[in-house]
Amino acid sequence: MNYILSFEFPNSRYLMVEAIANGVQQDKIHFQLPSWRPGRYELANFAKNVRHFRAFDGEGKILPVTKLTKDRWEVTSKGVAEVHVKYEFFASELNAGSTWLDESQLFVNPVNCLVYIPERLAEECRIHLKVPDNWRVATPLLKEKSNTLFAPDYDTLADSPFIASPSMKHNMFILDGVEFHLWFQGECRIDWTKIIADFFVFISEQTVLFGSFPSTEYHFLFQILSQRFYHGVEHTESTVIALGPAYKLMSDKAVYNDFLGVSCHELFHAWNIKMIRPAEMMPYDYTRENYSRLGYVGEGVTTYYGDYLLFRSGVWTEEDYWPAFEERLDKHFESHARYFASVTESSFDTWLDGYVPGAPHRKTSIYHEGSILAFVTDIFIRRNTGHKKSLDNVMRRLWKEYGESGKGYTEADYLRLVSEEAGTDFSYIENNFIYQANSFEPIVQDALDVIGHEMYFVPSNKPYEHLFGFKVAEPGGATKVTEIYYGSPSEKEGLSVGDEIIGINGMQVRADLAEWMRYFDEDLAELVVASSGKLKTIMLRSDGNAWFSNPKVRPKEKMQEEQARALSLWSGKSQAE
């Protein structure tokens, strides 16, 4: 397949695509646009952005087109050796997994916008970019000419985003023979010395863990945005990371830590999910859901290591790591979904509603829940082997036994490797916390105790959260209820998600509900609520429980010698015997 990408008016956001199939022998040929993209396990229906789909032979004669499904077209090609399909793609969304066009850049995730012929996935692909001469192209794809990109097959093409722009900033370094490229698109001031030093350290830590890198070069493509943003998408030889605000990238520690955290996370995916892949996704089927219960490994283990390896390598301090760990815990404990949906069920259901809030307390997060389980599993292996082995050993075996050979692994494979590396039965955690919905509190406390730490809970500093058990968002001055804790006074007294709170104790509320509650300083509140177009009054009284409490982690006051040793080994401050 050959593709020609061009545009006439970038402000229209319409990217013009021409796909050319040579050597056609069928009377009818099908062109398929993917329904989803690897890395986000939900149907995206990219065809909704396609306009004016047409087909021609090599001489420009119009060929009949029939749309068979929402994203598959059939072209009548009898007696035709070459088929050209032309369409326009609305490139109007800018995040790490999208396609975007404006006067400053063309950013393409090919899986969004380039059709393929299902029976010809293994054939070579080329993209010719019609962009201004002064635009550079950042991509892991081979450049045959300045603006001609080559992929050995469609899967490689779909997995290889690129940015074409006149204003990108670029630097690179080599580590163990692998080229690492850093591309920045967007307004930002970059401290190359600091970034390269930090990246060199955590990349080295990951490479040592696995023993080898999956490719000979790797590209970090950064979309630096003006507004607050955080999103990353993994690929085999690259990642795209969208982050903002630009003016805080190097000056704000929290934003810079986000930058490091998402970069370390996405790089870990180069092994875990891009190469170490569930059997259900071998190969990817771009036309439908690719169900798997292993999201807690693909995303959860990666989330754990994305934070942990920054800490273990010394890029992060304890003051950087533990708040990130507490954030994972908070996502688990703030939702009663932990009693209704296991992490494996939630892995399966990402295809249903995994990336939106959805029904209250219906599902958990494979990222946060999986990360906590990975920590627990890591400590489980360390404790049972006298700290001679860890989750590192499991991931290294997954890479050597499955990833390098291109063989998919199963749920049973992962759990078997954990038991083998630990040298003992893992079924208690497997049965009660991986495949069953449950609070993680006992296993988290147990794991933290091994390294001389403990978890405790601090009531939320927002009175309506810890006294009455509800959360609000405050867009445009409105105070709308976004979450209600299961069994809390707010639930029992009739407050609903979506209700808008407009008054408390006779006073009008805009975006200052917490301040009014602190002012009254009472365990009793009379709320005036707009609910489904009607006004109602709800009397809330605290029952003495702290409904939304934030989990915190601290060292034990008296840490035993064995705990101190375990902490030293786990944190990377000492070497195992």
Side-chain angles (χ1 to χ4, degrees):
M1 287 285 289
N2 289 283
Y3 303 89
I4 301 172
L5 304 186
S6 62
F7 53 85
E8 187 173 4
F9 303 109
N11 56 293
S12 74
R13 306 281 189 262
Y14 270 106
L15 173 66
M16 292 184 283
V17 180
E18 181 175 358
I20 305 167
N22 297 303
V24 176
Q25 298 178 354
Q26 309 99 303
D27 290 346
K28 293 184 177 182
I29 188 169
H30 290 176
F31 290 88
Q32 175 75 45
L33 190 67
S35 295
W36 68 286
R37 61 170 176 79
R40 193 169 183 91
Y41 308 107
E42 67 175 2
L43 294 180
N45 297 319
F46 300 121
K48 65 181 179 288
N49 292 320
V50 171
R51 180 177 80 173
H52 202 198
F53 191 100
R54 298 152 293 153
F56 307 87
D57 66 11
E59 298 178 352
K61 180 182 177 181
I62 296 175
L63 300 176
V65 176
T66 301
K67 194 168 187 180
L68 301 179
T69 70
K70 58 183 172 56
D71 43 30
R72 180 175 290 211
W73 295 262
E74 181 181 77
V75 176
T76 300
S77 53
K78 186 175 182 179
V80 174
E82 184 175 283
V83 173
H84 296 235
V85 297
K86 297 181 180 181
Y87 55 92
E88 298 165 28
F89 187 86
F90 190 46
S92 63
E93 188 174 7
L94 182 53
N95 60 50
S98 63
T99 294
W100 171 264
L101 172 64
D102 67 12
E103 64 280 356
S104 69
Q105 66 167 311
L106 170 60
F107 165 48
V108 174
N109 271 277
V111 73
N112 300 161
C113 58
L114 300 186
V115 294
Y116 63 93
I117 300 171
E119 63 271 19
R120 296 173 63 170
L121 280 167
E123 294 184 8
E124 295 179 350
C125 300
R126 286 174 174 82
I127 297 177
H128 179 68
L129 297 175
K130 291 187 175 181
V131 297
D133 292 339
N134 66 326
W135 286 28
R136 286 199 297 173
V137 180
T139 179
L141 292 172
L142 176 66
K143 296 178 185 177
E144 292 187 329
K145 299 178 182 178
S146 60
N147 289 333
T148 300
L149 312 179
F150 169 81
D153 51 57
Y154 184 83
D155 280 321
T156 302
L157 180 74
D159 193 43
S160 303
F162 60 86
I163 302 172
S165 167
S167 57
M168 277 185 295
K169 299 177 178 67
H170 173 254
N171 212 325
M172 61 87 65
F173 60 91
I174 298 174
L175 174 59
D176 293 335
V178 180
E179 292 185 3
F180 291 92
H181 294 263
L182 306 172
W183 300 89
F184 287 81
Q185 172 64 25
E187 175 58 41
C188 57
R189 295 173 181 170
I190 302 169
D191 184 339
W192 287 114
T193 301
K194 179 174 178 56
I195 288 175
I196 290 176
D198 288 339
F199 274 57
F200 195 94
V201 172
F202 77 70
I203 293 172
S204 179
E205 189 79 13
Q206 292 198 23
T207 304
V208 169
L209 189 160
F210 285 104
S212 60
F213 197 79
S215 59
T216 58
E217 65 178 72
Y218 189 88
H219 295 254
F220 290 90
L221 308 181
F222 295 104
Q223 291 280 2
I224 306 300
L225 308 182
S226 60
Q227 73 276 22
R228 177 163 177 76
F229 209 85
Y230 180 93
H231 185 218
V233 177
E234 68 273 12
H235 302 281
T236 305
E237 296 182 329
S238 66
T239 178
V240 180
I241 292 169
L243 197 72
Y247 54 83
K248 287 187 174 182
L249 178 62
M250 301 304 307
S251 62
D252 187 295
K253 186 175 182 181
V255 175
Y256 187 70
N257 276 349
D258 281 347
F259 170 71
L260 291 176
V262 68
S263 298
C264 190
H265 174 110
E266 299 304 338
L267 181 69
F268 197 86
H269 271 314
W271 292 274
N272 190 30
I273 204 60
K274 295 312 302 180
M275 300 296 289
I276 304 168
R277 198 186 304 175
E280 298 91 338
M281 297 181 185
M282 297 292 289
Y284 290 132
D285 183 342
Y286 297 109
T287 67
R288 62 172 183 83
E289 300 90 341
N290 289 210
Y291 294 109
S292 173
R293 290 181 174 81
L294 282 164
Y296 76 98
V297 179
E299 292 295 349
V301 170
T302 301
T303 300
Y304 170 61
Y305 273 112
D307 297 336
Y308 171 49
L309 292 181
L310 288 170
F311 175 46
R312 193 169 84 182
S313 66
V315 174
W316 276 6
T317 66
E318 291 188 22
E319 289 72 25
D320 299 314
Y321 177 74
W322 287 115
F325 186 83
E326 289 166 350
E327 183 180 346
R328 313 296 177 198
L329 294 175
D330 191 55
K331 296 298 183 182
H332 172 74
F333 287 105
E334 74 176 4
S335 173
H336 214 76
R338 63 188 182 277
Y339 295 115
F340 296 124
S342 69
V343 71
T344 49
E345 291 173 313
S346 296
S347 296
F348 195 88
D349 273 0
T350 57
W351 293 96
L352 185 61
D353 64 346
Y355 299 90
V356 295
H361 310 297
R362 197 195 75 81
K363 65 181 178 218
T364 59
S365 165
I366 59 174
Y367 296 85
H368 301 297
E369 307 281 302
S371 175
I372 297 167
L373 285 172
F375 167 71
V376 168
T377 303
D378 191 15
I379 299 298
F380 175 86
I381 298 171
R382 290 172 180 274
R383 174 170 52 186
N384 283 287
T385 61
H387 303 282
K388 294 179 180 178
K389 292 187 175 182
S390 68
L391 189 57
D392 290 8
N393 297 85
V394 174
M395 298 311 298
R396 192 176 301 115
R397 285 187 63 184
L398 282 173
W399 167 234
K400 295 298 182 183
E401 297 174 24
Y402 297 91
E404 282 192 324
S405 65
K407 177 184 175 184
Y409 74 101
T410 67
E411 300 171 63
D413 291 329
Y414 174 72
L415 296 168
R416 172 181 55 81
L417 291 180
V418 171
S419 291
E420 288 179 0
E421 293 304 309
T424 190
D425 187 22
F426 189 60
S427 61
Y428 171 74
I429 293 174
E430 174 187 342
N431 294 336
N432 291 284
F433 301 98
I434 295 178
Y435 285 99
Q436 184 173 315
N438 234 323
S439 171
F440 289 171
E441 184 170 1
I443 56 174
V444 170
Q445 290 283 28
D446 186 51
L448 286 170
D449 182 70
V450 172
I451 57 173
H453 282 64
E454 62 185 359
M455 178 174 60
Y456 64 104
F457 292 87
V458 176
S460 168
N461 62 4
K462 296 179 179 178
Y464 51 83
E465 292 186 0
H466 75 259
L467 290 176
F468 307 122
F470 69 91
K471 292 190 172 189
V472 299
E474 301 169 350
T479 303
K480 288 192 175 182
V481 177
T482 58
E483 189 172 348
I484 295 177
Y485 204 95
Y486 186 82
S488 66
S490 58
E491 182 182 62
K492 292 177 180 178
E493 296 303 323
L495 197 64
S496 299
V497 170
D499 286 355
E500 182 181 340
I501 299 171
I502 59 177
I504 175 174
N505 295 351
M507 303 303 294
Q508 185 178 3
V509 171
R510 289 184 174 87
D512 51 4
L513 178 61
E515 297 305 320
W516 276 116
M517 283 198 169
R518 292 189 186 100
Y519 172 80
F520 287 114
D521 192 25
E522 296 176 358
D523 292 349
L524 181 68
E526 183 182 80
L527 303 182
V528 178
V529 175
S531 180
S532 301
K534 298 179 180 180
L535 294 179
K536 62 181 180 180
T537 299
I538 295 178
M539 186 68 71
L540 295 180
R541 183 185 298 276
S542 172
D543 59 5
N545 291 310
W547 287 98
F548 281 103
S549 294
N550 304 120
K552 303 292 182 181
V553 175
R554 63 190 174 197
K556 288 179 174 289
E557 288 188 11
K558 295 183 179 179
M559 193 180 298
Q560 298 176 4
E561 183 178 340
E562 178 57 29
Q563 291 173 323
R565 174 178 176 269
L567 175 62
S568 178
L569 292 169
W570 171 78
S571 65
K573 304 301 183 284
S574 177
Q575 298 297 316
E577 296 174 357

